[in-house]
């Protein structure tokens, strides 16, 4: 049994038939081919699949695709506008906030949520906001610097 | 002259990752692709009495399924071990078969039993649930030491006492004599707990058999695609190597766990051949926990003898090393040649002996994990030294300084010959400690600690001064020690007709930033813009050969191979330039991307020479066209980075919680090409080491079940677990490779763990705590405080 859903992803509308059990993360990757959203675990512990759903950072493995019917989604592929990188993308590049890159899309999306709520966070606030996202490469040090740099440049 | 080397050049690989355009193995979708799910043993040890796949085969979308006997009947071999370590008495290592799918018996939870292939991933997983396996449950061998004792269940019937090999290094008599006559002996019984690597990208393999060309392609999340091709074709499948291509595209972290040749790689290729369609398998995280090789798991008794002046006189180490259920690719060299050889540390200890007993258990195989043997050696050594300092009432820094090997550069002064086989290349060990003490403000800290103690607050500082062996390794040396492979590296420098440069390297980047670091080297050595350089890796059809990335070897070995090829490019370029300039080669100098006739303004640029090499109209007689060189670099020695890590913690006496207040790491990794990338490597390494000290540890119950096999249960460092890390650096170049580089990927992990535990023990020594088992959870620490006080 398939269900028809309508979603807007990175400004583009999609109508797709999906199985009710399909996770939103798998919908993005397998149906829409937006493989920038990564899946690193099966217990919503790693945060690699974090995207923006109607203005909120959400681990896209915690939603079924059918629950996103009618939602406006932004994934890492939609963060840059007209070829200009988002300040967070610039920040991660400048401050070496990524190594293997696998956690990076989710990390950037979680940081996006933080800066929406708190444009000038302290280091402790940055660390707290990112505690739902695992990174095994960077030790988080340069991720904190990257978010701080993005906050500074956006201010 | 150096425009890029030594600069924090921003990474050229970043753009694809920050825009969601990275290409990891699971991102690849091939036409007609099928999906595999693997039925794994739920038991640690059991006979397989019967397997019924009929319901699975009848399920929606299922293409086929295979069991172990199908592979055995087709002549598929077992997974090989890459390093032979024989018994001390000369007997050959016991190397029982490691079948791709279990036949007759399963030996750990997660042992693969059946592969089910379907049109979609969900269909494959649904069908896998329908496979019925009749198991006869057997008692399991789980405990590292007890499994080598009398009466323990046998993991492999033909391996008595579950011991595949034992091993010793050093002078047992001299060490015993030194301990017998020592003024003081410090003894510790240490468990270096089992860790799970947990690269955030789960492993993935896609097999794609092309019947039209009779060619195979394997896409796999590997740190070393050429090694996988070699092992898989030569030892497991018996396929002709030239008909097999292995591609490791972007790989989401490895930390050692993606070095090894895994069953799923064989299955993807073999099954694709059977059904003539691509087959993809992607691990779920719960599968990663029971199928990725794990790390550490040593139980050790360590004794350090000191004379009345605090000089180390002898060291004796006895270790049981758990290797899990099968001998994984490098499992045998990790607790031996990568462990025992590091027990000299930074010290002049004149008598050392290490004895290792490897133990099979009904647990996931154990193999290299970031540091691989060196963290285990460093942990026991540095715990011993801090404990000895406490026992003797000496300052831990002063005790180290008394015993440090004096500075040597490996050029004017010779390398330092250890008691445990290695010869250190160059070092200035007091230098890193002095710098770290200055950064931390040591004298002030001791005052602060005393003041805090008066208020009932427990502050502590932990020392760790470490050395590691990187840049693995001279092939002849490791060959004489049982390695079944050479450990050189290769690089092709292909100058294109327009003067742009493509470099094909056998090293594999999965976060290390090779595309940037290697480009910096090439651009500087050729005097061309960095934008003119492209680094290609991870594809056996593009790169002639490679041994891959592990053991912090990529710059020291892979980078040196690049330099060799660059030298050849410049040498041939000079012949072409001399011809065009109508000058003698001897009169030319190469700088700034052009050859100039010394003392004149006559010159010709790199691009013009490159074009001439491919349009050889006006060309030196007898010289081949083209400007394209391959080099293989086999290192002369290991490299030996070192450093000093200092950690300050506060321990809450009421809850046992250990809070990191500061972490200072001073590392000497030799010459540095990109300081920002090196710092990133150290940050990540330190975080990994802190994780072992405070949070991580695989827990098996008595039945061999991994009870914390998910991200809900296995604790790893998160962003708010760590303080800001304070890094410093000294530079002692490696004397034996052209870049003077030593390696930075594992340093942090090796140094950090003992610093944290030493700090916690320092905080609690005055209340009677003498040792703390890792990880230092609040419960563990609280109990230790209670026991010390009772």
């Amino acid at each position: 049994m398939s269900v028809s859903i309508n979603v807007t992803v990175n400004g583009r509308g999609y109508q797709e038939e999906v199985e009710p059990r399909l996770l939103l993360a798998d919908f993005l990757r397998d149906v829409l081919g937006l493989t920038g959203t990564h899946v690193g675990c099966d217990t919503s512990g790693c945060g690699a699949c974090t995207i923006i759903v109607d203005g909120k950072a959400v681990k896209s493995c915690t939603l079924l695709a059918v629950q996103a019917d009618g939602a406006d989604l932004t994934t890492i592929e939609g963060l840059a506008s007209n070829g200009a990188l988002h300040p967070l993308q610039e920040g991660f590049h400048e401050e070496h906030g990524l190594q293997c890159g696998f956690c990076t899309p989710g990390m950037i999306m979680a940081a996006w949520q933080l800066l929406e709520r708190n444009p000038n966070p302290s280091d402790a606030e940055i660390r707290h906001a990112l505690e739902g996202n695992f990174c095994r490469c960077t030790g988080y040090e340069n991720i904190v610097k990257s978010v701080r740099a993005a906050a500074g440049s956006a201010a | 002259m150096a425009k890029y080397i030594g600069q924090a050049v921003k990474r050229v690989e970043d753009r694809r990752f920050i825009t969601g355009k990275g290409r990891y193995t699971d991102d690849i979708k091939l036409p007609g692709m099928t999906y595999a799910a693997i039925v794994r043993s739920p038991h640690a040890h059991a006979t397989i009495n019967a397997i019924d796949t009929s319901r699975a085969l009848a399920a929606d979308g299922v293409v086929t399924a295979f069991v172990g006997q199908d592979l055995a009947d087709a002549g598929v071999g077992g997974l090989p071990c890459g390093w032979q370590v024989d018994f001390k008495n000369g007997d050959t290592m016991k190397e029982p078969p490691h079948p791709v799918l279990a036949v007759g018996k399963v030996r750990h939870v997660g042992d693969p039993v059946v592969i089910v292939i379907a049109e979609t991933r969900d269909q494959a997983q649904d069908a896998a649930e329908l496979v019925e396996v009749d198991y006869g449950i057997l008692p399991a061998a789980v405990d590292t030491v007890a499994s080598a004792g009398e009466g323990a269940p046998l993991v492999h019937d033909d391996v008595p006492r579950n011991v595949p090999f034992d091993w010793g290094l050093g002078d047992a008599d001299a060490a015993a004599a030194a301990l017998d006559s020592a003024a003081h002996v410090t003894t510790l019984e240490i468990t270096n707990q089992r860790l799970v690597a947990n690269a955030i990208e789960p492993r993935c393999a896609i097999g794609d058999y092309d019947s039209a060309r009779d060619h195979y392609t394997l896409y796999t999340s590997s740190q070393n695609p050429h090694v996988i091709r070699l092992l898989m074709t030569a030892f497991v499948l018996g396929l002709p190597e030239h008909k097999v291509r292995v591609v490791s595209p972007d790989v989401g972290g490895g930390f050692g766990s993606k070095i090894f040749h895994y069953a799923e790689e064989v299955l993807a290729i073999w099954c694709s051949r059977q059904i003539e369609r691509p087959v993809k398998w992607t691990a779920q995280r719960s599968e990663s926990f029971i199928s990725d090789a794990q790390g550490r798991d040593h139980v050790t008794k360590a004794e350090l003898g000191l004379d009345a002046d605090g000089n180390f006189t002898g060291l004796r180490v006895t270790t049981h090393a758990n290797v899990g259920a099968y001998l994984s690719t490098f499992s045998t060299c990790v607790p031996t040649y990568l462990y025992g050889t590091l027990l000299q540390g930074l010290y002049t200890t004149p008598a050392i002996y290490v004895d290792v007993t490897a133990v099979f258990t009904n647990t996931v195989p154990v193999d290299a994990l970031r540091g691989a043997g060196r963290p285990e050696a460093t942990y026991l050594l540095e715990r011993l030294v801090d404990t000895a300092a406490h026992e003797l009432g000496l300052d831990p820094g002063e005790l180290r300084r008394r015993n440090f090997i004096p500075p040597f550069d490996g050029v004017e002064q010779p390398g330092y010959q250890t008691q445990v086989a290695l010869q250190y290349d160059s070092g200035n060990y007091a230098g890193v400690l002095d710098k770290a003490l200055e950064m931390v403000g040591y004298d002030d800290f001791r005052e602060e600690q005393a003041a805090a103690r008066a208020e009932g607050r427990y502050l502590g500082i932990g020392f760790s001064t470490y050395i590691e062996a990187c840049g693995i390794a001279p092939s002849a040396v490791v060959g004489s020690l049982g390695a079944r492979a050479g450990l050189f590296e290769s690089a092709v420098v292909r100058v294109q007709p327009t003067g742009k440069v493509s470099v094909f390297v056998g090293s594999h980047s999965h976060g290390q930033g090779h595309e940037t670091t290697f480009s910096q080297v090439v651009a500087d050595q050729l005097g061309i813009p960095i934008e003119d350089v492209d680094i290609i890796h991870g594809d056996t059809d593009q790169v002639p050969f490679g041994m891959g990335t592990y053991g912090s070897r990529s710059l020291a070995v892979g980078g040196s191979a690049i330099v060799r090829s660059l030298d050849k490019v410049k040498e041939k370029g000079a012949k072409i330039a001399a011809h065009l300039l109508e000058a003698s080669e001897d009169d030319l100098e190469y700088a700034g991307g052009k050859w100039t006739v010394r003392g004149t303004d006559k010159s010709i640029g790199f691009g013009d020479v490159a074009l001439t090499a491919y349009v050889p109209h006006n060309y030196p007689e007898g010289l081949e066209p083209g400007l394209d060189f391959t080099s293989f670099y086999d290192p002369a020695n290991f490299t030996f980075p070192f450093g000093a890590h200092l950690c300050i913690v506060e321990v809450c006496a009421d809850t046992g919680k250990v809070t990191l207040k500061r972490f200072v790491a001073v590392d000497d990794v030799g010459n540095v090409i990109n300081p920002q990338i090196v710092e990133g490597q150290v940050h990540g390494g330190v975080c990994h080491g802190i994780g072992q000290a405070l949070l991580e540890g695989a827990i098996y119950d008595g039945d061999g079940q991994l009870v914390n096999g998910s991200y809900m249960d296995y604790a790893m460092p998160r962003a708010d677990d760590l303080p800001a890390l304070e890094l410093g650096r000294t530079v002692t170049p490696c004397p034996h490779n052209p870049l003077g580089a030593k390696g930075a990927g594992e340093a942090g992990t090796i140094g950090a763990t003992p610093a944290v535990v030493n700090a916690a023990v320092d905080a609690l020594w005055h209340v009677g705590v003498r040792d703390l088992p890792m990880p230092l959870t609040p419960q563990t620490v609280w109990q230790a405080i209670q026991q010390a006080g009772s």
Side-chain angles (χ1 to χ4, degrees), chain B residues 494-531:
Chain B
R494 178 168 302 155
V495 182
Q496 310 286 0
T498 53
K500 312 298 184 197
V501 179
S502 304
V503 181
F504 302 81
V505 290
S507 307
H508 185 277
S509 187
H510 31 280
Q512 294 86 346
H514 295 168
E515 291 168 43
T516 305
T517 303
F518 289 163
S519 293
Q520 289 176 252
V521 171
V522 173
D524 262 358
Q525 295 236 341
L526 294 180
I528 60 176
I530 199 165
E531 296 76 20

Short mmCIF file of all heavy atoms in Angstrom, two decimals, chain B residues 494-531:
data_model
loop_
_atom_site.label_atom_id
_atom_site.label_comp_id
_atom_site.label_asym_id
_atom_site.label_seq_id
_atom_site.Cartn_x
_atom_site.Cartn_y
_atom_site.Cartn_z
N ARG B 494 51.47 12.63 -12.73
CA ARG B 494 51.22 12.74 -14.17
C ARG B 494 51.09 14.21 -14.53
O ARG B 494 50.10 14.86 -14.17
CB ARG B 494 49.94 11.99 -14.55
CG ARG B 494 49.57 12.08 -16.03
CD ARG B 494 48.48 11.09 -16.38
NE ARG B 494 48.95 9.75 -16.06
CZ ARG B 494 48.13 8.73 -15.78
NH1 ARG B 494 46.83 8.90 -15.79
NH2 ARG B 494 48.64 7.54 -15.49
N VAL B 495 52.09 14.73 -15.21
CA VAL B 495 52.02 16.12 -15.66
C VAL B 495 51.26 16.12 -16.98
O VAL B 495 51.62 15.42 -17.93
CB VAL B 495 53.43 16.71 -15.85
CG1 VAL B 495 53.33 18.16 -16.27
CG2 VAL B 495 54.23 16.57 -14.55
N GLN B 496 50.18 16.87 -17.02
CA GLN B 496 49.37 16.94 -18.24
C GLN B 496 50.05 17.91 -19.22
O GLN B 496 50.88 18.73 -18.82
CB GLN B 496 47.96 17.43 -17.91
CG GLN B 496 47.28 16.67 -16.76
CD GLN B 496 46.81 15.28 -17.13
OE1 GLN B 496 46.97 14.84 -18.26
NE2 GLN B 496 46.24 14.57 -16.16
N PRO B 497 49.70 17.82 -20.49
CA PRO B 497 50.37 18.67 -21.48
C PRO B 497 50.30 20.16 -21.18
O PRO B 497 51.18 20.93 -21.56
CB PRO B 497 49.62 18.34 -22.78
CG PRO B 497 49.11 16.96 -22.59
CD PRO B 497 48.78 16.84 -21.12
N THR B 498 49.26 20.58 -20.47
CA THR B 498 49.14 22.01 -20.15
C THR B 498 49.88 22.40 -18.88
O THR B 498 49.80 23.54 -18.44
CB THR B 498 47.65 22.36 -19.95
OG1 THR B 498 47.12 21.44 -18.97
CG2 THR B 498 46.88 22.24 -21.24
N GLY B 499 50.55 21.44 -18.26
CA GLY B 499 51.29 21.76 -17.04
C GLY B 499 50.46 21.58 -15.78
O GLY B 499 50.93 21.86 -14.68
N LYS B 500 49.22 21.15 -15.94
CA LYS B 500 48.44 20.78 -14.75
C LYS B 500 48.89 19.39 -14.30
O LYS B 500 49.38 18.60 -15.12
CB LYS B 500 46.94 20.77 -15.05
CG LYS B 500 46.44 22.00 -15.79
CD LYS B 500 46.62 23.28 -15.02
CE LYS B 500 46.01 24.45 -15.79
NZ LYS B 500 46.48 25.76 -15.30
N VAL B 501 48.70 19.11 -13.03
CA VAL B 501 49.29 17.88 -12.49
C VAL B 501 48.24 17.02 -11.79
O VAL B 501 47.53 17.49 -10.91
CB VAL B 501 50.42 18.23 -11.49
CG1 VAL B 501 51.03 16.96 -10.91
CG2 VAL B 501 51.49 19.06 -12.18
N SER B 502 48.16 15.77 -12.22
CA SER B 502 47.31 14.79 -11.56
C SER B 502 48.21 13.85 -10.77
O SER B 502 49.18 13.33 -11.32
CB SER B 502 46.51 13.99 -12.58
OG SER B 502 45.75 14.86 -13.40
N VAL B 503 47.88 13.66 -9.51
CA VAL B 503 48.68 12.80 -8.66
C VAL B 503 47.80 11.65 -8.18
O VAL B 503 46.73 11.87 -7.61
CB VAL B 503 49.25 13.58 -7.45
CG1 VAL B 503 50.11 12.67 -6.58
CG2 VAL B 503 50.04 14.78 -7.93
N PHE B 504 48.26 10.45 -8.42
CA PHE B 504 47.50 9.24 -8.06
C PHE B 504 48.23 8.58 -6.90
O PHE B 504 49.38 8.18 -7.04
CB PHE B 504 47.42 8.29 -9.25
CG PHE B 504 46.78 8.90 -10.47
CD1 PHE B 504 47.53 9.73 -11.31
CD2 PHE B 504 45.45 8.69 -10.78
CE1 PHE B 504 46.94 10.31 -12.43
CE2 PHE B 504 44.86 9.26 -11.89
CZ PHE B 504 45.61 10.08 -12.72
N VAL B 505 47.55 8.49 -5.76
CA VAL B 505 48.24 8.01 -4.56
C VAL B 505 47.57 6.75 -4.01
O VAL B 505 46.36 6.61 -4.03
CB VAL B 505 48.27 9.08 -3.45
CG1 VAL B 505 49.20 10.21 -3.84
CG2 VAL B 505 46.88 9.61 -3.14
N GLY B 506 48.41 5.87 -3.47
CA GLY B 506 47.90 4.65 -2.86
C GLY B 506 47.37 4.87 -1.45
O GLY B 506 46.64 4.04 -0.92
N SER B 507 47.73 6.00 -0.85
CA SER B 507 47.14 6.36 0.44
C SER B 507 45.65 6.65 0.21
O SER B 507 45.26 7.07 -0.87
CB SER B 507 47.80 7.62 1.02
OG SER B 507 49.19 7.47 1.05
N HIS B 508 44.84 6.45 1.24
CA HIS B 508 43.41 6.72 1.11
C HIS B 508 42.97 7.74 2.15
O HIS B 508 43.28 7.58 3.32
CB HIS B 508 42.60 5.43 1.28
CG HIS B 508 41.14 5.64 1.02
ND1 HIS B 508 40.30 6.13 1.99
CD2 HIS B 508 40.40 5.47 -0.09
CE1 HIS B 508 39.07 6.24 1.46
NE2 HIS B 508 39.12 5.84 0.21
N SER B 509 42.27 8.76 1.72
CA SER B 509 41.83 9.80 2.64
C SER B 509 40.40 9.54 3.07
O SER B 509 39.51 9.41 2.24
CB SER B 509 41.94 11.17 1.98
OG SER B 509 41.66 12.18 2.92
N HIS B 510 40.19 9.42 4.37
CA HIS B 510 38.82 9.33 4.89
C HIS B 510 38.69 10.30 6.05
O HIS B 510 38.24 9.94 7.13
CB HIS B 510 38.48 7.90 5.28
CG HIS B 510 39.67 7.10 5.76
ND1 HIS B 510 40.59 6.54 4.91
CD2 HIS B 510 40.11 6.84 7.01
CE1 HIS B 510 41.53 5.93 5.63
NE2 HIS B 510 41.26 6.11 6.89
N GLY B 511 39.13 11.52 5.78
CA GLY B 511 39.05 12.59 6.76
C GLY B 511 40.37 13.29 7.01
O GLY B 511 40.42 14.38 7.57
N GLN B 512 41.46 12.66 6.56
CA GLN B 512 42.80 13.18 6.88
C GLN B 512 43.18 14.42 6.07
O GLN B 512 44.17 15.07 6.38
CB GLN B 512 43.85 12.09 6.65
CG GLN B 512 43.74 10.91 7.60
CD GLN B 512 42.77 9.84 7.13
OE1 GLN B 512 41.97 10.06 6.21
NE2 GLN B 512 42.81 8.69 7.75
N GLY B 513 42.45 14.71 4.99
CA GLY B 513 42.75 15.91 4.21
C GLY B 513 43.90 15.77 3.24
O GLY B 513 44.59 16.74 2.91
N HIS B 514 44.11 14.56 2.74
CA HIS B 514 45.22 14.34 1.80
C HIS B 514 45.13 15.22 0.57
O HIS B 514 46.15 15.62 0.01
CB HIS B 514 45.24 12.88 1.31
CG HIS B 514 45.52 11.89 2.39
ND1 HIS B 514 45.35 10.54 2.21
CD2 HIS B 514 45.97 12.04 3.65
CE1 HIS B 514 45.68 9.91 3.32
NE2 HIS B 514 46.04 10.79 4.21
N GLU B 515 43.90 15.46 0.10
CA GLU B 515 43.77 16.21 -1.15
C GLU B 515 44.38 17.60 -0.99
O GLU B 515 44.81 18.21 -1.96
CB GLU B 515 42.30 16.27 -1.56
CG GLU B 515 41.77 14.91 -1.99
CD GLU B 515 40.25 14.86 -2.14
OE1 GLU B 515 39.66 15.79 -2.70
OE2 GLU B 515 39.65 13.86 -1.68
N THR B 516 44.41 18.09 0.24
CA THR B 516 45.01 19.40 0.51
C THR B 516 46.50 19.26 0.82
O THR B 516 47.35 19.92 0.20
CB THR B 516 44.29 20.06 1.70
OG1 THR B 516 42.90 20.09 1.41
CG2 THR B 516 44.81 21.46 1.93
N THR B 517 46.83 18.42 1.78
CA THR B 517 48.23 18.30 2.22
C THR B 517 49.13 17.86 1.07
O THR B 517 50.20 18.45 0.85
CB THR B 517 48.32 17.29 3.38
OG1 THR B 517 47.46 17.73 4.44
CG2 THR B 517 49.73 17.18 3.89
N PHE B 518 48.72 16.83 0.35
CA PHE B 518 49.54 16.36 -0.77
C PHE B 518 49.66 17.45 -1.85
O PHE B 518 50.72 17.62 -2.45
CB PHE B 518 48.95 15.08 -1.37
CG PHE B 518 49.08 13.85 -0.49
CD1 PHE B 518 48.30 12.73 -0.74
CD2 PHE B 518 49.98 13.80 0.56
CE1 PHE B 518 48.41 11.58 0.04
CE2 PHE B 518 50.09 12.66 1.35
CZ PHE B 518 49.30 11.55 1.09
N SER B 519 48.56 18.18 -2.07
CA SER B 519 48.61 19.26 -3.07
C SER B 519 49.61 20.33 -2.66
O SER B 519 50.30 20.91 -3.50
CB SER B 519 47.23 19.89 -3.24
OG SER B 519 46.33 18.97 -3.82
N GLN B 520 49.67 20.61 -1.35
CA GLN B 520 50.63 21.61 -0.87
C GLN B 520 52.06 21.18 -1.20
O GLN B 520 52.88 21.99 -1.63
CB GLN B 520 50.49 21.80 0.65
CG GLN B 520 49.21 22.51 1.06
CD GLN B 520 49.07 22.58 2.57
OE1 GLN B 520 48.25 21.89 3.15
NE2 GLN B 520 49.85 23.42 3.24
N VAL B 521 52.34 19.90 -0.99
CA VAL B 521 53.68 19.38 -1.26
C VAL B 521 53.99 19.50 -2.76
O VAL B 521 55.05 20.00 -3.17
CB VAL B 521 53.80 17.92 -0.79
CG1 VAL B 521 55.11 17.29 -1.27
CG2 VAL B 521 53.68 17.83 0.73
N VAL B 522 53.05 19.06 -3.58
CA VAL B 522 53.28 19.05 -5.03
C VAL B 522 53.43 20.47 -5.56
O VAL B 522 54.35 20.77 -6.33
CB VAL B 522 52.12 18.32 -5.74
CG1 VAL B 522 52.26 18.44 -7.25
CG2 VAL B 522 52.08 16.85 -5.32
N ALA B 523 52.54 21.35 -5.12
CA ALA B 523 52.57 22.73 -5.63
C ALA B 523 53.88 23.41 -5.25
O ALA B 523 54.49 24.10 -6.07
CB ALA B 523 51.38 23.51 -5.08
N ASP B 524 54.34 23.20 -4.03
CA ASP B 524 55.59 23.84 -3.62
C ASP B 524 56.79 23.25 -4.34
O ASP B 524 57.67 23.97 -4.79
CB ASP B 524 55.79 23.68 -2.10
CG ASP B 524 55.36 24.93 -1.35
OD1 ASP B 524 54.95 25.91 -2.01
OD2 ASP B 524 55.44 24.93 -0.11
N GLN B 525 56.81 21.94 -4.45
CA GLN B 525 57.99 21.33 -5.06
C GLN B 525 58.09 21.66 -6.54
O GLN B 525 59.18 21.72 -7.08
CB GLN B 525 57.94 19.81 -4.84
CG GLN B 525 58.05 19.45 -3.37
CD GLN B 525 59.20 18.51 -3.07
OE1 GLN B 525 59.72 17.86 -3.96
NE2 GLN B 525 59.60 18.46 -1.82
N LEU B 526 56.95 21.85 -7.19
CA LEU B 526 56.98 22.20 -8.62
C LEU B 526 56.88 23.71 -8.83
O LEU B 526 57.02 24.18 -9.97
CB LEU B 526 55.86 21.49 -9.37
CG LEU B 526 55.98 19.96 -9.44
CD1 LEU B 526 54.79 19.37 -10.21
CD2 LEU B 526 57.29 19.53 -10.08
N GLY B 527 56.59 24.45 -7.77
CA GLY B 527 56.48 25.90 -7.91
C GLY B 527 55.29 26.31 -8.76
O GLY B 527 55.36 27.25 -9.56
N ILE B 528 54.19 25.59 -8.63
CA ILE B 528 52.99 25.90 -9.41
C ILE B 528 51.84 26.21 -8.46
O ILE B 528 51.90 25.89 -7.28
CB ILE B 528 52.61 24.72 -10.35
CG1 ILE B 528 52.32 23.45 -9.53
CG2 ILE B 528 53.74 24.46 -11.36
CD1 ILE B 528 51.85 22.27 -10.38
N PRO B 529 50.78 26.85 -8.97
CA PRO B 529 49.64 27.14 -8.08
C PRO B 529 48.98 25.85 -7.61
O PRO B 529 48.89 24.87 -8.36
CB PRO B 529 48.67 27.93 -8.98
CG PRO B 529 49.48 28.38 -10.15
CD PRO B 529 50.58 27.37 -10.33
N ILE B 530 48.49 25.87 -6.38
CA ILE B 530 47.87 24.67 -5.81
C ILE B 530 46.63 24.27 -6.59
O ILE B 530 46.27 23.10 -6.65
CB ILE B 530 47.57 24.91 -4.30
CG1 ILE B 530 47.37 23.57 -3.58
CG2 ILE B 530 46.39 25.84 -4.09
CD1 ILE B 530 47.43 23.66 -2.07
N GLU B 531 46.00 25.24 -7.24
CA GLU B 531 44.81 24.94 -8.05
C GLU B 531 45.16 24.05 -9.25
O GLU B 531 44.28 23.46 -9.87
CB GLU B 531 44.14 26.22 -8.56
CG GLU B 531 43.60 27.14 -7.49
CD GLU B 531 44.68 27.94 -6.77
OE1 GLU B 531 45.80 28.09 -7.31
OE2 GLU B 531 44.41 28.40 -5.63
#
